[in-house]
Every structure is written in C-alpha cells, then in structure tokens.
Amino acid sequence: MAFITEKEELKPGLILFRRGDVEHRMWYCRMKMPKADRYKTVSLKTSDKEAARERAFDQDADVRFRIKHDVPVFNRPFRDVAHEYLLTQEARAKRGEISAARPKKLRAVIEGTLDRYAGSMQVHLIGDERWGGYPAWRRENGAGRHRRNGVREVTADAAQTFADHEAERRTKVQQTLGIRVLKPIEVKPSEERTVPFISDSTIRFEMSIFGAIMNYAVKKRYVPASQRFDERPKLKTMRRDEFTLEEYRKLHTVGRKWIAEADKPSSVWYRTVTYNLILIACNTGMRPAEMKNLRWRDIMPAKDREGREIVVLFVQGKGKSRKLVAPKSVGEYLERIRAISKATEQDDRVFTNITGKPAKTLYSSLIADLLNEANLREGTQGVPRSTYCFRHTYATLRLQEGVDVYFLAEQMGTSVHMIEQHYGHVNTIKHADRVLQGMAGWELPQPDETRAKASKAAETHDKGKRGQRHKPR
C-alpha cells in the first residue's frame, strides 16, 4: 500500500507502520487473521516506537484470544451489516427464491426505523436490553395509520414530521402506480396534535427483520451466537377480518346491481372482472399474489371420487406452489372472465386490464368502491378491508362447515398452527352448545320424537344382535 511508511515486521503476520497520508506521527499495526485472507489494522495511538511495539503485540494477542473464544474480531455498525443482509435478499429475489417485492419492504424498514434505532451502534454491542426495548421505542417515536390502536399527544414539531412522512409515503404510492404527481402532496398535521399508536403487527414485522439481520451477523461471525434473537415479544394479535355469510350474500346482490349501473363499456368490463374475482377468491382462499400469477394453463377440470365436477388450480405465490381444489362454480366464474378478456392463451394471465396486460393492483380501487357501495368497507375492528379479507372469509366459512383443519391448511398453503391462531374463534361459535352446557337458562337440544324412536329401535336391534351372538349352540 502506497501510504504505508517506516514499515517493520515484528513477526510473521504482524507489521508496524506509519501512514504517509496523514499529518500526525502515530504508529499503526496490521495483523493477518489466522487461516483467512483478511487483515485487521489498528491505530496504536502513540508516536513512541517502543510503546507501539508493545501495544502491537497486545493487539495481536487480543485478536488470537477473540478467535479462540468465538468473540467477534471486527467491529461493524448495525447499518453496514443490515445493508449487507439486504444485498443477499436482493440476490435471492433475482434468483426467484423470494418475491421481487420482498426486498423493497425490507429496504423501507432497514433504511427507516431500524436505522434510526440502531444504525450507528456497533452490532456486537446490541444485547437483550436493546432488542427488548424496540417495541417501547417504536411506539414512542412512530405514528400508526389507524386510530383503533389508540392515540397519543405529540409536540407540534413531531406532528409536522409525521405529516411530512405521510405525504412522502402517499407520493411514492402514486408514483408506483404510474400516476404523475404534478404538485407535491401535502398532509396537514392533526389539529389536536394526536397520532395513532403503531400497531403490534407492524412492530412484530419490523422485529422479524431486526432478528433476521442479527442472525445473519451470527452466521458471518460478526457477533457471537448468544446474540441470536429468535423470540419475539408477546404482543397483541389482531384477529383477521372476514365477511360473514350475510355480508357475503350482500356483496353478491350489490355487486350485480353495481355492474348494471356502470355507464361506460370499460366500466362494465372492469366491474364484471372485479365481481368475479371476489367470487373466485371467496371460494378458493387464494392469496392476492397467487391470483396475480394465475394463468389459464393452471386451470384444470377434474372429478372427485363421487364423480362430481370440480376445478383444480395450480397456484404460485410466496415462493411456493401447490394445487388446490374448487367447486364447479369457480370454473364458471373463470369462464365469465375468459369470455370478455383479450388475453386467453394458455400462458396469459387470468386477471388483466382491459388491454390484456397483467393487472398490477388486482383492481384494489374497484374492490374498495364496491365495498363502499355495499357499506362493508370497514370490518368489526374499524380496519378498512382489503383483497386479503376474501381469503379469511373462505377460511372462516370452511371451518364453520366443519372442514378438518389439516385439510384446510393444505388447501390454503399454510400451517395448522396459523389456522388455529387466527381462526380459533370459529370453533367457539360453532360449538356454542357445548361451551354453554350447564349454564343457567341453557339446555342441550332434545332429540325430536322421530329421532327418539329411531334411537330406541337401534338400541333394541343391538340387544337382539348381542343375544344371538351369545346364544349357545
């Protein structure tokens, strides 16, 4: 290296030197890492050569001790490790191992809240206290989007900062959708200077990324294994919003009227496709990403063991693929879309825009319009419903009909644990007669006279059979 001057080798792999590109006369040492093509350079903070020699040997001994006891040798700020982790995820997305949208979400969290919380901190100094303190810090230094999480008062400056962040977010959304933003979007701070709390689900998601970065640091030996954080804080789990059977029927009725009221051929087209998408989603449980990826070649007619007609769909999303079964009616909904689509070749996407190009947003604004028309936009928890709610509706209705949770998990491409965690309330309602058994004013339903007679006849028949079986020969 050109800047190295007065170089002296103290022993193989350890050199003492000064830098020619600085004004001071301090000594440095450079150590080669055992069994690796890496070096560590340390400022010895002395201009005395004899003192520098002693400190160089001390530094060399310290490095060897660290390597022997699995203690990190190199100090790295969390920001650099997080960026390195992000590059590996972007590479995975290019290989198709994860979705292309995943690195964008990671970048937003890594370069946003995580950088403000721990960006400049040396990664080896992040311990249990720093990890466990994230939820409280996030609630105190962030603003949520829904007031159902509660509100808190903030200073005028903080309120303006949150408003500026929201304006920036809305601008990016518009640009992502291909909409030209002619003038900056402005968001005024709340007059009462209150902001919603960050939701627990947001904190849990961000901590999953925080934990993944620390696990990456362990893998790269930047930190010891004791700094692996797998356990998440026990935060409140919000129950997923679905449509009740009555609300689903209302969507049917309002949806047909909504199509009839369209005043332009293009509006009729989009509303027809949107209406049938909702029917397909509620009868298959597909994720939005799986619907986006669905092609005509992925749809196959079939028959069940009883000879009844069904539809088999090959779906892909979240980096996985599977086959799911659907009733014959789903095939009819798909045919309605094919009849008006300009993309009907085997390799074409099912859900497109009116010109035949793949739908990017999956008609989210149209779905919002229909839900507003039906007065079903907000669920029981005050959260605006989205396309994902149709998947939850499917799961809820299937469980209410008594479908085995294992088969449902296979059909939906998720785990039994996830089904039980988010839809456990369904079994409570379904088995209300057992839950309320023995309570005042509640009696188990008595069998009617016909069933009582049938039960008595069956009992007599069984007694006769037992008598014949034990009759001596």
Side-chain angles (χ1 to χ4, degrees):
M1 297 181 184
F3 62 82
I4 292 181
T5 63
E6 302 181 49
K7 177 180 176 182
E8 178 184 346
E9 185 177 29
L10 301 180
K11 70 171 197 174
L14 176 64
I15 63 170
L16 189 70
F17 67 93
R18 280 185 169 136
R19 296 178 65 111
D21 57 346
V22 295
E23 294 182 0
H24 61 72
R25 301 292 294 162
M26 298 297 181
W27 287 95
Y28 293 81
C29 72
R30 192 179 74 168
M31 299 155 283
K32 185 180 185 303
M33 297 297 100
K35 300 180 182 179
D37 190 20
R38 299 186 68 186
Y39 297 84
K40 182 176 182 179
T41 300
V42 179
S43 172
L44 300 174
K45 302 186 185 303
T46 181
S47 57
D48 182 86
K49 192 169 186 177
E50 288 303 317
R53 285 195 181 101
E54 291 183 11
R55 294 183 185 183
F57 282 111
D58 289 344
Q59 288 289 339
D60 182 67
D62 179 66
V63 166
R64 294 180 181 279
F65 176 85
R66 287 170 175 267
I67 292 174
K68 180 178 180 180
H69 295 279
D70 197 26
V71 177
V73 174
F74 297 93
N75 296 335
R76 289 172 175 264
F78 177 83
R79 181 181 295 118
D80 290 354
V81 178
H83 179 69
E84 192 176 321
Y85 168 76
L86 180 60
L87 293 177
T88 65
Q89 299 307 298
E90 289 176 344
R92 291 185 64 201
K94 289 181 180 178
R95 296 194 298 267
E97 296 176 6
I98 58 176
S99 69
R102 178 69 177 175
K104 295 179 182 178
K105 295 179 181 178
L106 295 176
R107 181 178 293 277
V109 175
I110 288 171
E111 296 181 352
T113 54
L114 291 185
D115 188 75
R116 295 201 302 272
Y117 183 67
S120 60
M121 177 176 282
Q122 296 296 316
V123 69
H124 70 282
L125 297 178
I126 296 176
D128 291 332
E129 184 177 353
R130 193 72 175 177
W131 166 258
Y134 184 79
W137 176 89
R138 187 70 173 99
R139 290 191 182 100
E140 192 64 29
N141 293 273
R145 295 170 62 183
H146 302 298
R147 290 184 175 267
R148 62 173 169 75
N149 303 313
V151 296
R152 62 186 176 90
E153 292 187 10
V154 296
T155 63
D157 291 340
Q160 184 62 56
T161 300
F162 291 139
D164 292 342
H165 286 165
E166 178 62 15
E168 183 181 355
R169 186 192 68 80
R170 292 184 187 180
T171 302
K172 287 182 178 179
V173 169
Q174 295 289 310
Q175 292 171 344
T176 302
L177 296 175
I179 300 173
R180 292 180 60 190
V181 181
L182 300 178
K183 60 180 182 179
I185 296 175
E186 294 184 4
V187 177
K188 294 182 179 179
S190 172
E191 292 182 1
E192 64 270 21
R193 292 196 313 209
T194 60
V195 296
F197 278 109
I198 295 290
S199 69
D200 289 342
S201 59
T202 297
I203 294 174
R204 190 178 293 107
F205 172 69
E206 292 171 356
M207 291 198 75
S208 70
I209 299 173
F210 193 178
I213 294 169
M214 294 304 297
N215 292 344
Y216 174 80
V218 171
K219 181 180 177 182
K220 298 292 288 186
R221 300 176 70 86
Y222 299 151
V223 298
S226 60
Q227 285 177 265
R228 181 183 183 95
F229 302 114
D230 288 327
E231 289 195 12
R232 303 285 181 267
K234 293 182 179 180
L235 304 173
K236 180 176 61 179
T237 300
M238 296 299 292
R239 186 169 68 81
R240 311 230 174 153
D241 250 337
E242 72 280 344
F243 296 91
T244 65
L245 186 57
E246 291 73 20
E247 289 175 330
Y248 176 59
R249 288 169 178 165
K250 185 178 181 181
L251 267 181
H252 261 294
T253 304
V254 176
R256 290 192 293 267
K257 181 182 177 183
W258 182 61
I259 296 172
E261 291 175 348
D263 56 357
K264 294 187 298 185
S266 60
S267 297
V268 173
W269 190 95
Y270 277 109
R271 291 187 180 191
T272 301
V273 175
T274 302
Y275 170 70
N276 284 284
L277 175 143
I278 291 173
L279 299 181
I280 293 167
C282 288
N283 283 276
T284 61
M286 278 193 287
R287 298 181 176 91
E290 293 169 345
M291 288 190 283
K292 280 185 183 179
N293 295 332
L294 189 67
R295 300 175 187 268
W296 293 112
R297 70 185 180 201
D298 300 327
I299 304 165
M300 297 156 282
K303 291 186 179 181
D304 67 3
R305 289 187 294 182
E306 303 297 325
R308 292 168 295 197
E309 294 184 5
I310 60 172
V311 177
V312 178
L313 304 176
F314 176 73
V315 297
Q316 303 175 75
K318 293 188 71 172
K320 300 177 183 179
S321 61
R322 71 182 190 285
K323 288 183 178 179
L324 61 83
V325 295
K328 180 184 177 182
S329 58
V330 169
E332 296 170 358
Y333 305 146
L334 288 163
E335 285 304 316
R336 292 178 194 171
I337 295 174
R338 190 197 288 262
I340 60 175
S341 177
K342 290 187 177 179
T344 58
E345 298 296 327
Q346 287 294 90
D347 287 338
D348 289 336
R349 301 287 176 91
V350 172
F351 298 105
T352 66
N353 60 25
I354 198 168
T355 64
K357 294 182 179 179
K360 292 183 179 180
T361 62
L362 214 61
Y363 326 112
S364 57
S365 60
L366 287 159
I367 290 173
D369 289 343
L370 176 54
L371 295 180
N372 285 329
E373 185 76 16
N375 198 25
L376 296 173
R377 184 75 169 100
E378 288 192 356
T380 56
Q381 301 182 65
V383 182
R385 283 164 164 156
S386 64
T387 310
Y388 221 95
C389 291
F390 303 130
R391 174 174 166 86
H392 305 325
T393 300
Y394 173 82
T396 301
L397 295 180
R398 292 295 82 219
L399 287 170
Q400 287 176 351
E401 292 296 328
V403 174
D404 185 273
V405 66
Y406 172 79
F407 293 124
L408 184 61
E410 287 287 309
Q411 167 86 347
M412 297 183 67
T414 187
S415 65
V416 171
H417 172 73
M418 186 66 70
I419 295 287
E420 292 174 340
Q421 180 181 0
H422 291 289
Y423 305 104
H425 64 285
V426 177
N427 282 331
T428 303
I429 298 171
K430 186 175 69 174
H431 300 299
D433 57 333
R434 299 181 186 179
V435 175
L436 300 176
Q437 182 178 349
M439 294 185 69
W442 182 266
E443 295 180 359
L444 285 173
Q446 298 297 321
D448 57 28
E449 187 178 348
T450 304
R451 290 185 179 179
K453 290 181 179 179
S455 177
K456 186 174 182 179
E459 185 180 352
T460 304
H461 179 73
D462 288 343
K463 286 182 179 179
K465 284 282 187 182
R466 285 197 295 271
Q468 289 181 3
R469 195 159 41 241
H470 295 293
K471 186 177 180 180
R473 294 181 179 178

